[in-house]
Amino acid sequence: MAIAKFFHTIKLIVELQEENGMLNNKIRIAIDGPAAAGKSTVAKKIAAKLSIVYIDTGAMYRALTYKALQENMNVEDEDEMTMLLQQTEIRLFQHEDGQRVLLDEQDVTDEIRLEKVSNSVSHVASHAKIRERMVDEQKKLANDISVVMDGRDIGTHVLPNAEVKIFLIASVEERAERRHKENLEKGYTSDLSQLMEDIRQRDERDTNREVSPLVKAEDAISIDTTSLSIEKVVEQILQAIEKKV
Ligand code: C5P
């Protein structure tokens, strides 16, 4: 898996941070939680506020899943998926509009959000060999820089020594409503009860898988976003960060 371009961008950011004397205050923020709990929205805002890198780890699992579906492969077969990953190049890079995802040189940033990908990705992410490689790459990406990273196992496995760990939760109803609204705003057809069922199933698979299941790290701060605005959630996380640095 090649991540050279992303490293290059990170190197530039590191140089900038060095120039500004920011590296002495290196901070790693881990944001975990179930599907559609608002992790990426909040993480992007925190990253912008602190001028640090945002890494969306779910995008890596999604890119591999997208390729597997394109090639009509069996996402439940660990050996098939492991072989596929060996022949796959996934690059994350920082664009002025945010993180973009390149799969074998093709920009799939939008495609990996398709419902068919969302409904299959947790199968791919349940395989031990896939996780091992993804987690290795994610650790390298966060090496030596300030980052905010979101996913399911960031506080527990990817960045176990993160200075700040957040676990975002929200009711299934609220999360489905948010996705439904987003879909309608984008002009997509959307079925609220189907969304609720899909989210429930994905949570179930992510929480009950054998390898690094979705679980709150012992030292993570839980925030229930059900009745909170994005701004309020961001404010609470910034306060938690302030206490640490
Ligand atoms: O965060 P997002 O919803 O894009 O993640 C898609 C899927 O990727 C999750 O449902 C989960 O199965 C998997 N994932 C994971 N570990 C991560 C990030 C995502 O298992 N760190």
Side-chain angles (χ1 to χ4, degrees), residues 57-58 61-62 113 121-122 125 131 151-154 202 206 209:
T57 60
Y61 295 96
R62 283 176 177 272
R113 303 287 152 201
V121 62
S122 53
R131 300 204 67 81
R152 303 291 185 289
D153 58 345
I154 310 302
R202 186 140 65 100
D206 287 344
R209 69 181 174 219

Side-chain angles (χ1 to χ4, degrees), residues 42-55:
V42 166
K44 278 180 211 159
K45 286 189 183 288
I46 301 280
K49 210 77 194 179
L50 303 178
S51 303
I52 62 175
V53 176
Y54 162 57
I55 301 173

Side-chain angles (χ1 to χ4, degrees), residues 4-237:
K5 203 161 180 180
F6 196 69
F7 267 134
H8 182 67
T9 324
I10 286 182
K11 211 169 138 260
L12 293 178
I13 293 172
V14 171
E15 280 164 13
L16 204 77
Q17 289 182 354
E18 265 168 356
E19 254 174 46
N20 295 331
M22 284 165 68
L23 276 192
N24 296 335
N25 301 324
K26 189 176 84 174
I27 183 149
R28 285 150 312 161
I29 303 152
I31 303 188
D32 290 301
K39 300 184 298 293
S40 68
T41 310
V42 166
K44 278 180 211 159
K45 286 189 183 288
I46 301 280
K49 210 77 194 179
L50 303 178
S51 303
I52 62 175
V53 176
Y54 162 57
I55 301 173
D56 165 10
T57 60
M60 294 166 71
Y61 295 96
R62 283 176 177 272
L64 183 64
T65 306
Y66 177 70
K67 183 166 177 181
L69 295 177
Q70 291 296 95
E71 301 194 0
N72 286 320
M73 294 178 79
N74 179 4
V75 291
E76 294 184 38
D77 186 319
E78 178 160 14
D79 290 338
E80 256 187 65
M81 290 302 104
T82 308
M83 207 133 73
L84 184 69
L85 182 58
Q86 279 160 4
Q87 303 153 4
T88 300
E89 185 181 76
I90 298 169
R91 291 186 191 186
L92 305 180
F93 70 98
Q94 299 275 309
H95 188 263
E96 54 191 25
D97 303 337
Q99 177 187 279
R100 302 212 62 89
V101 185
L102 282 195
L103 172 67
D104 300 326
E105 302 294 319
Q106 186 200 346
D107 190 325
V108 293
T109 311
D110 298 328
E111 288 82 347
I112 62 169
R113 303 287 152 201
L114 292 172
E115 222 167 283
K116 62 174 184 180
V117 177
S118 301
N119 293 340
S120 294
V121 62
S122 53
H123 290 292
V124 174
S126 68
H127 304 312
K129 288 181 199 152
I130 300 289
R131 300 204 67 81
E132 204 179 300
R133 293 224 27 216
M134 294 289 193
V135 169
D136 261 9
E137 296 297 337
Q138 291 157 6
K139 284 185 178 196
K140 281 187 214 156
L141 288 174
N143 212 8
D144 283 337
I145 57 162
S146 289
V147 284
V148 47
M149 207 180 232
D150 79 357
R152 303 291 185 289
D153 58 345
I154 310 302
T156 50
H157 289 87
V158 183
L159 303 175
N161 299 321
E163 283 73 19
V164 178
K165 296 183 187 177
I166 305 292
F167 197 75
L168 287 189
I169 49 171
S171 69
V172 177
E173 290 76 12
E174 172 76 16
R175 289 184 280 139
E177 284 277 1
R178 288 180 195 161
R179 257 309 122 84
H180 184 57
K181 219 169 132 215
E182 267 171 34
N183 285 345
L184 296 179
E185 277 166 11
K186 287 179 190 160
Y188 299 160
T189 50
S190 188
D191 177 339
L192 181 61
S193 55
Q194 185 61 48
L195 270 177
M196 212 163 345
E197 186 49 34
D198 292 345
I199 287 179
R200 213 174 261 137
Q201 281 186 18
R202 186 140 65 100
D203 284 353
E204 165 96 12
R205 284 196 288 267
D206 287 344
T207 311
N208 295 319
R209 69 181 174 219
E210 277 173 34
V211 201
S212 39
L214 168 66
V215 63
K216 176 185 162 306
E218 263 178 29
D219 49 349
I221 302 165
S222 247
I223 302 179
D224 186 340
T225 72
T226 307
S227 52
L228 288 179
S229 67
I230 292 165
E231 286 67 32
K232 272 271 167 255
V233 179
V234 171
E235 200 181 298
Q236 285 193 20
I237 297 177

